[in-house]
Amino acid sequence: MTEDAPRNGGQLARVFALLTAAFAAWAAYALATSSMPPLAADRGRIDSAIELNLIVSGVVFLGAHLALVLVLLRRPREARIPRENIRVEMLWTALTAAILVALLVNSEIDARALAGGDEGADAPKPVVVEVVAQQFAWNFRLPGEDGIFGRTDPRLVDQAELNFIGLDKKDPASEDDILLPQGLLILPAGREIKVRLRSLDVIHSFFVASFRVKRDAMPGLQGEFTFTPTTPGSFELACAEHCGLGHYRMRGLIEVVPEAEWAGKVKEATQ
Ligand SMILES: [Cu+2]
């Protein structure tokens, strides 16, 4: 060790402590001033998971940086810091593993609960909606009275005929299918919604911040997920996957209305 070591160590510790404090202050400010839009669906678990992860990683971040500052300050008295301490190493490795496993288990519990949907004999059937993403618009379809979606075929897609999803009009099941205007989805509040998500071209992502829902739409695959909008109102649907030059304008509007008004509003929008 050179003569300068104590002074350098102290300086380094001070710079480091300052940077840590500045970052912590900025993080606290960012957390206090920005937030997700108010929750409008039954997915509060997402908020608590984010909160828990931020708290745990914040505590670990501050603890690790504090330890680093202390080590830098104490470095001159090197004799007091053991070069190797198997017990301490085992302890922090086990502790880190335990924290990560606990977070993982917790997120698995959340994921299962969110995927489960409303169950039980008297739970009403979910409202099934087909969402078809395309460059750069959202198409929404309801199956109508029969509850069956008519056949679609990519070869039948015809933008000029406004057949954006390639609906086969010869299929009897497609007769009562309800095609909502592009970019407008009307949903009943308090009912479980089952979304069938597809894409006609590239990867898009169905993102409704107010519902805490974000799912990729993959060409060739059909995704399925559920959520229950709880509050009537207008909510923004954004594409959260950079899907091409028009990505920025790939927006949609989700109108959540009281269940009693739902059928009427859908009819009004499709006339
Ligand atoms: Cu997109």
Side-chain angles (χ1 to χ4, degrees):
M1 178 159 288
T2 62
E3 291 281 300
D4 295 339
R7 211 180 57 214
N8 285 350
Q11 263 169 6
L12 211 59
R14 238 169 281 140
V15 171
F16 209 79
L18 213 68
L19 282 175
T20 305
F23 181 80
W26 172 77
Y29 172 77
L31 284 175
T33 53
S34 67
S35 60
M36 298 273 265
L39 180 67
D42 64 335
R43 294 170 66 88
R45 277 172 180 272
I46 300 280
D47 289 14
S48 33
I50 291 173
E51 223 163 76
L52 179 72
N53 278 272
L54 278 177
I55 290 170
V56 171
S57 49
V59 168
V60 170
F61 173 85
L62 286 177
H65 282 67
L66 196 69
L68 203 49
V69 168
L70 287 178
V71 167
L72 286 170
L73 283 174
R74 287 179 64 172
R75 205 170 151 211
R77 288 166 283 160
E78 214 172 359
R80 290 174 60 182
I81 303 169
R83 277 179 190 283
E84 202 174 331
N85 189 330
I86 288 290
R87 262 200 211 163
V88 171
E89 282 185 29
M90 297 276 270
L91 182 73
W92 79 48
T93 305
L95 212 65
T96 309
I99 291 171
L100 290 177
V101 168
L103 285 176
L104 202 69
V105 168
N106 185 60
S107 75
E108 187 59 32
I109 293 169
D110 282 345
R112 277 168 196 237
L114 290 172
D118 297 343
E119 263 150 45
D122 36 282
K125 276 194 175 173
V127 173
V128 185
V129 184
E130 184 193 58
V131 178
V132 184
Q134 69 172 93
Q135 286 173 319
F136 301 97
W138 296 100
N139 301 288
F140 306 105
R141 176 163 66 137
L142 300 165
E145 296 262 299
D146 62 357
I148 303 166
F149 288 107
R151 201 178 79 87
T152 56
D153 186 331
R155 283 169 297 193
L156 297 174
V157 170
D158 190 335
Q159 307 286 333
E161 286 285 310
L162 306 183
N163 190 357
F164 303 112
I165 62 168
L167 184 65
D168 179 358
K169 285 171 186 155
K170 288 191 201 118
D171 180 7
S174 64
E175 253 167 53
D176 64 347
D177 284 10
I178 301 165
L179 291 155
L180 285 154
Q182 262 191 339
L184 175 67
L185 176 58
I186 304 167
L187 295 176
R191 282 289 296 277
E192 188 183 24
I193 311 297
K194 183 180 271 184
V195 173
R196 290 194 184 152
L197 184 60
R198 299 195 290 126
S199 167
L200 287 179
D201 35 49
V202 299
I203 307 174
H204 300 275
S205 181
F206 180 92
F207 176 41
V208 187
S210 300
F211 297 167
R212 312 296 191 259
V213 169
K214 187 191 265 174
R215 282 297 177 107
D216 276 4
M218 308 285 286
L221 292 179
Q222 182 177 270
E224 206 173 88
F225 58 93
T226 58
F227 63 88
T228 304
T230 47
T231 327
S234 299
F235 305 97
E236 188 190 29
L237 160 66
C239 178
E241 198 73 61
H242 191 202
C243 55
L245 286 176
H247 164 69
Y248 69 93
R249 61 182 154 88
M250 189 165 165
R251 298 166 78 195
L253 186 69
I254 301 187
E255 293 274 11
V256 176
V257 298
E259 198 182 345
E261 299 169 22
W262 179 53
K265 292 270 183 195
V266 168
K267 210 167 187 187
E268 211 174 278
T270 49
Q271 262 161 9

